[in-house]
Amino acid sequence: MSKVSVFCLSAALLGSAMQVNAKEGMFTPEQLPSIAGDLKETGLAIPASSINDLTAFPMGAIVSLGGCSASFVSDKGLAVTNHHCARGSVQYNSTPENNYLKDGFLAKEIGEELPAAPGTRMFVTVDFSDVTDNVIGGISDDVQGRERYDLIEANRKALIAECESEAGFRCSVPSFFQGLEYKLIKQMEIRDVRIAYAPADSIGKYGGDVDNWMWPRHTGDFSFYRAYVGKDGKPADYSEENVPFKPEHFLKVSAAGLEDGDFVMAAGYPGSTNRYARLSQVSYTFDWLYPTYLELVDAWIKTIESASEEGSDARIKYEALLAGLNNFHKNTLGQLSGAKRVGLVPRRAEREEQLAAWLDKNGKSEMKQALADLDAVSAEQMQMNKQNFWYNNLSRAQLLSSAQTLYRNAIEKEKPDAERESGFQDRDQIRLKEGVERIERRFDPAVDQAVWQKMISMYLEQPEENRVAAFDKAVGIDGDTDGKTLQKKLKAFYDKTSLTNTEERLKWLTASRADFENSNDPFIKLAVALFDTEMAIEDKSKTLSGKAAALRPKYMSAIIEWQKSLGSLAYPDANSTLRVTYGNVMGGSPKDGLIYEPFTRLEGITEKDTGETPFDSPKKQLTLIEDKKYGPYKLDAINSVPVNFLTDLDSTGGNSGSATLNAKAELIGLLFDGTFESVNSDWDFDPKTTRTIHVDSRYMLWVMEYVDGATNLIEEMTIVK
């Protein structure tokens, strides 16, 4: 493997004399040496310079799952992540006869693992470099709109194509600081991923949606994957001939654990934050977008539940989606509550006033004009999003979405590969195939029709100007269409389509544009009828994105210079790239009279247990707790085995599964959630209320040894006692 290119950001970002709040900031690894003093003062026992190389220990052990994080914990490709990150694969393998969600799964021998859901990947970073000049260095400021968007995309694609000339690797060119910088990231793409062990939902999802985002928490949110490769050590598709991957680095697992106040850091791939969002975007999100999403998701959840009986195969197929929807719903409620509590809108207005005053004081009129122009472009984008919101959500019906994707693929394949839309190039074909296959255990026709009808009924309630004539005409909707008539029209789609069959869907991956346009399949015909409308919406969106791409870097330059003048270190918003956050084990008091202790105990499980989902701990576990069988995993300070613990770490979605490390970079838990009062930190960090929830390694080992008998995995790992 090539070594990571270690480079420095501009001097404006990395002044060693800057004051840094140890608790705030999702730092890129290359930023860590600049804050080495604070890391050491907070408690880091190894040199900060040892954790800024993405291919060295310990960062080389941290991997992305493409939405969650994981880390290698043995030299045989064993990787630990959150239960909720692997649950989709468990669900995919579950049937009423073999319900691994209910009963859990354990492979007692290597080679007995279950294949993860199609499309599951592990991404191991092998190289990282600054390519800002390659992406935007040759683009004049005069180039605007769609032309600018297309040039940036073409430059990124060219870099990716060159990087991926070596088989087995997946490359990306994410932007940092809203397009001020671009980095090329090369990752080994492990395609054969298997479930090694997942505890039952009664442990891994204990508390369910009731406890989600709440404290105290008693959730065993952990599972294990194993990565497999070909006998040559290179990534390969699933085969019984494949062998476990041998990572260059893996983490030791601490059974000694932590005490209150101890140093901790988490390494993972947080999804996205909006710490630098302008006031107009904040107002739009919290005044309109989030409340609207709550209405949509609430209806979506109720529709799925009413159309699928509890415990039925249909419900099992939708378990992963329902978990995600419920998680989003509760998170959004927390976002709205948190924004109101901290006064997010007035705080953001105050920040913009301070920035504007600093620009005036320092004679930066050009930057100030760029901000005004950016706000104008953003206003257009938000208005467009509002207008198309309900129409865009019509594709929540999986067969419509599949038909549109398959038709777009046929059209894009007529072009040279470099000119195709991202997501439809040759590099993406295997993912498209896996997406088609994955529907097999994620789809039920009756449920899908019910969801589609609900989405259409909500769309029909919107003002006339938000309606799309092409859709109304193709489906046969008019002003007098009632519920029964609509249901009859939609039933005809599902009765006459062949897309419910996986083999039929796969055939369309190699079909021509003409095949689609001559088809009588109702969903294919609808996708064809909507294509011109889709392209018009996409063109307008890309034009506005191109305008914003010329302005956002100027905004971030202003933010960076302003924060530097205040002695602060700017860190980029999360963007699904590797980040490190650090702090201490710490309880809290988010509001008057409410005290959060830093640890929860085994006994808290029995206190919550009702014997009914989601508080239905296995009887064996309850007996072990009653008998105080703690083994070597007891924490004397709480006189029990710690289950979950709190820290003041800065985290967000995508951090799920992140390795929580002690001062020696040993695994002492997994980050899996935040408190309800913390979720608003995606937009505005509040040190008083921001707390992150982790599952303790001692509880993980206790469950593995005493409850599920996963001693084979304990023996495989290096346990530090």
Side-chain angles (χ1 to χ4, degrees):
M1 294 183 181
S2 59
K3 286 294 180 184
V4 169
S5 303
V6 179
F7 62 93
C8 291
L9 297 175
S10 64
L13 299 180
L14 294 182
S16 60
M18 291 180 177
Q19 297 176 359
V20 180
N21 185 329
K23 300 172 185 62
E24 178 180 358
M26 300 176 195
F27 297 100
T28 58
E30 68 270 17
Q31 287 184 298
L32 299 179
S34 70
I35 52 177
D38 195 77
L39 278 162
K40 183 177 181 180
E41 184 178 338
T42 308
L44 181 65
I46 60 176
S49 58
S50 69
I51 58 176
N52 73 316
D53 186 336
L54 277 71
T55 63
F57 180 83
M59 295 302 151
I62 311 301
V63 298
S64 170
L65 299 178
C68 279
S69 305
S71 49
F72 288 119
V73 287
S74 88
D75 62 357
K76 297 182 180 64
L78 187 68
V80 65
T81 186
N82 285 156
H83 181 272
H84 75 262
C85 293
R87 193 171 182 269
S89 289
V90 178
Q91 173 271 319
Y92 188 85
N93 283 279
S94 292
T95 63
E97 296 74 30
N98 292 297
N99 193 337
Y100 299 120
L101 292 171
K102 179 181 178 182
D103 302 326
F105 173 80
L106 170 64
K108 292 294 288 186
E109 300 284 345
I110 289 178
E112 294 181 354
E113 299 96 344
L114 295 172
T120 303
R121 297 286 191 272
M122 279 192 199
F123 298 97
V124 184
T125 302
V126 301
D127 203 8
F128 183 79
S129 57
D130 190 332
V131 291
T132 305
D133 287 343
N134 306 70
V135 177
I136 58 175
I139 303 177
S140 167
D141 285 346
D142 296 332
V143 177
Q144 295 286 324
R146 180 64 190 263
E147 184 182 3
R148 188 177 192 89
Y149 178 93
D150 288 342
L151 280 173
I152 291 174
E153 283 301 293
N155 290 339
R156 294 167 90 167
K157 288 178 186 175
L159 288 165
I160 289 170
E162 181 181 1
C163 179
E164 292 182 355
S165 60
E166 183 180 1
F169 294 90
R170 188 82 176 180
C171 301
S172 60
V173 184
S175 68
F176 292 74
F177 293 108
Q178 299 193 22
L180 185 63
E181 297 175 351
Y182 290 85
K183 312 293 172 63
L184 174 64
I185 302 174
K186 183 177 183 180
Q187 296 175 309
M188 175 183 284
E189 182 181 22
I190 297 176
R191 304 194 298 274
D192 186 353
V193 180
R194 308 182 194 181
I195 309 167
Y197 165 53
D201 273 0
S202 53
I203 290 176
K205 200 172 181 284
Y206 190 75
D209 297 317
V210 177
D211 270 6
N212 193 19
W213 302 105
M214 307 303 287
W215 188 260
R217 198 72 174 273
H218 301 85
T219 309
D221 203 343
F222 70 96
S223 289
F224 289 83
Y225 276 138
R226 193 181 302 277
Y228 278 78
V229 291
K231 290 183 177 180
D232 58 1
K234 296 181 179 179
D237 292 330
Y238 174 85
S239 169
E240 292 184 2
E241 301 299 315
N242 287 348
V243 297
F245 173 65
K246 295 183 178 180
E248 288 194 9
H249 306 284
F250 63 90
L251 302 175
K252 296 178 181 178
V253 180
S254 173
L258 295 163
E259 299 276 357
D260 187 10
D262 281 354
F263 172 89
V264 286
M265 61 181 174
Y269 291 81
S272 64
T273 53
N274 302 280
R275 302 271 173 86
Y276 302 108
R278 297 282 291 169
L279 173 62
S280 57
Q281 184 184 349
V282 172
S283 298
Y284 156 77
T285 300
F286 287 88
D287 293 343
W288 186 84
L289 185 62
Y290 281 172
T292 306
Y293 260 127
L294 283 177
E295 179 185 356
L296 173 101
V297 172
D298 183 62
W300 195 354
I301 292 169
K302 290 176 180 177
T303 301
I304 293 173
E305 290 178 341
S306 64
S308 58
E309 185 180 349
E310 183 94 32
S312 67
D313 191 47
R315 176 63 66 86
I316 290 173
K317 288 178 176 180
Y318 283 84
E319 278 291 343
L321 176 58
L322 282 171
L325 291 174
N326 278 300
N327 182 67
F328 176 85
H329 191 273
K330 196 163 188 177
N331 177 283
T332 304
L333 288 173
Q335 296 276 10
L336 290 167
S337 174
K340 183 178 181 180
R341 184 182 63 253
V342 302
L344 178 60
V345 171
R347 282 175 60 141
R348 194 56 54 95
E350 181 181 2
R351 186 176 82 177
E352 294 198 1
E353 290 173 2
Q354 292 173 351
L355 175 61
W358 180 82
L359 292 171
D360 286 337
K361 180 180 178 181
N362 290 275
K364 297 183 180 293
S365 57
E366 184 179 343
M367 276 189 174
K368 193 169 183 181
Q369 182 58 50
L371 299 193
D373 294 341
L374 176 60
D375 288 343
V377 172
S378 295
E380 287 188 70
Q381 290 176 312
M382 290 181 287
Q383 180 56 39
M384 181 182 174
N385 292 343
K386 283 185 176 183
Q387 182 174 346
N388 295 318
F389 179 86
W390 292 102
Y391 167 72
N392 289 338
N393 278 288
L394 296 179
S395 60
R396 299 297 185 183
Q398 291 191 70
L399 293 193
L400 174 56
S401 176
S402 295
Q404 289 181 303
T405 299
L406 291 165
Y407 181 48
R408 179 71 180 271
N409 186 53
I411 293 172
E412 294 296 331
K413 285 170 72 173
E414 295 176 344
K415 307 174 186 176
D417 189 59
E419 296 177 15
R420 296 183 201 172
E421 182 70 14
S422 293
F424 297 95
Q425 295 180 280
D426 288 341
R427 68 195 289 264
D428 303 305
Q429 293 304 306
I430 188 171
R431 293 189 172 200
L432 290 170
K433 177 177 180 291
E434 289 166 341
V436 167
E437 293 171 335
R438 195 162 51 240
I439 294 174
E440 179 72 21
R441 292 297 302 161
R442 301 278 174 85
F443 166 83
D444 178 88
V447 178
D448 199 56
Q449 181 182 330
V451 168
W452 199 28
Q453 180 163 348
K454 172 54 69 174
M455 295 298 169
I456 293 175
S457 67
M458 298 175 85
Y459 156 82
L460 292 175
E461 294 172 358
Q462 306 312 307
E464 189 67 30
E465 61 267 23
N466 292 351
R467 297 272 289 274
V468 174
F471 178 82
D472 292 3
K473 180 180 179 181
V475 178
I477 295 173
D478 56 41
D480 298 324
T481 300
D482 58 24
K484 285 188 177 181
T485 304
L486 179 60
Q487 184 179 25
K488 184 177 180 180
K489 290 178 183 292
L490 300 189
K491 187 176 185 300
F493 274 80
Y494 287 86
D495 288 344
K496 296 177 182 179
T497 186
S498 64
L499 293 182
T500 54
N501 181 276
T502 300
E503 292 304 317
E504 289 297 318
R505 290 195 303 274
L506 287 170
K507 290 178 183 178
W508 286 106
L509 281 171
T510 55
S512 69
R513 180 173 186 161
D515 292 332
F516 280 86
E517 293 171 357
N518 293 324
S519 173
N520 286 320
D521 187 290
F523 280 106
I524 298 294
K525 290 177 68 175
L526 180 56
V528 172
L530 295 178
F531 185 75
D532 288 344
T533 296
E534 293 288 316
M535 290 305 95
I537 293 172
E538 184 176 298
D539 179 66
K540 183 176 179 181
S541 176
K542 288 180 176 179
T543 298
L544 292 172
S545 294
K547 291 180 179 179
L551 298 167
R552 292 191 188 281
K554 296 178 180 179
Y555 166 53
M556 287 311 305
S557 293
I559 285 282
I560 290 165
E561 286 189 45
W562 175 49
Q563 290 194 358
K564 181 186 176 185
S565 73
L566 300 174
S568 298
L569 172 66
Y571 53 88
D573 266 321
N575 62 351
S576 297
T577 61
L578 186 63
R579 301 296 176 92
V580 175
T581 180
Y582 66 100
N584 303 94
V585 177
M586 184 183 296
S589 178
K591 55 186 176 182
D592 183 49
L594 183 62
I595 305 297
Y596 286 170
E597 290 186 324
F599 292 96
T600 56
R601 306 159 179 80
L602 288 180
E603 285 69 23
I605 295 173
T606 59
E607 290 173 0
K608 287 181 176 179
D609 202 271
T610 63
E612 297 180 0
T613 305
F615 299 104
D616 55 343
S617 177
K619 291 182 179 179
K620 182 178 180 180
Q621 185 178 36
L622 295 174
T623 300
L624 287 165
I625 297 171
E626 184 179 351
D627 293 343
K628 299 187 181 300
K629 190 169 179 68
Y630 302 145
Y633 307 116
K634 178 182 177 182
L635 172 60
D636 289 338
I638 64 172
N639 195 33
S640 185
V641 176
V643 178
N644 298 150
F645 63 91
L646 285 177
T647 69
D648 61 353
L649 298 191
D650 194 354
S651 66
T652 188
N655 265 130
S656 291
S658 293
T660 307
L661 307 174
N662 63 15
K664 297 178 182 179
E666 298 163 345
L667 186 81
I668 43 79
L670 297 174
L671 191 161
F672 75 92
D673 210 352
T675 60
F676 191 72
E677 299 84 9
S678 299
V679 295
N680 193 244
S681 64
D682 282 359
W683 296 83
D684 183 76
F685 187 87
D686 179 9
K688 178 184 177 183
T689 59
T690 298
R691 294 294 182 270
T692 293
I693 306 174
H694 312 249
V695 57
D696 197 294
S697 59
R698 289 165 288 195
Y699 181 60
M700 293 163 55
L701 294 168
W702 183 85
V703 169
M704 294 171 73
E705 180 173 350
Y706 295 114
V707 181
D708 286 337
T711 52
N712 56 310
L713 299 184
I714 294 177
E715 291 169 1
E716 182 180 335
M717 298 185 289
T718 301
I719 309 298
V720 180
K721 298 181 179 180

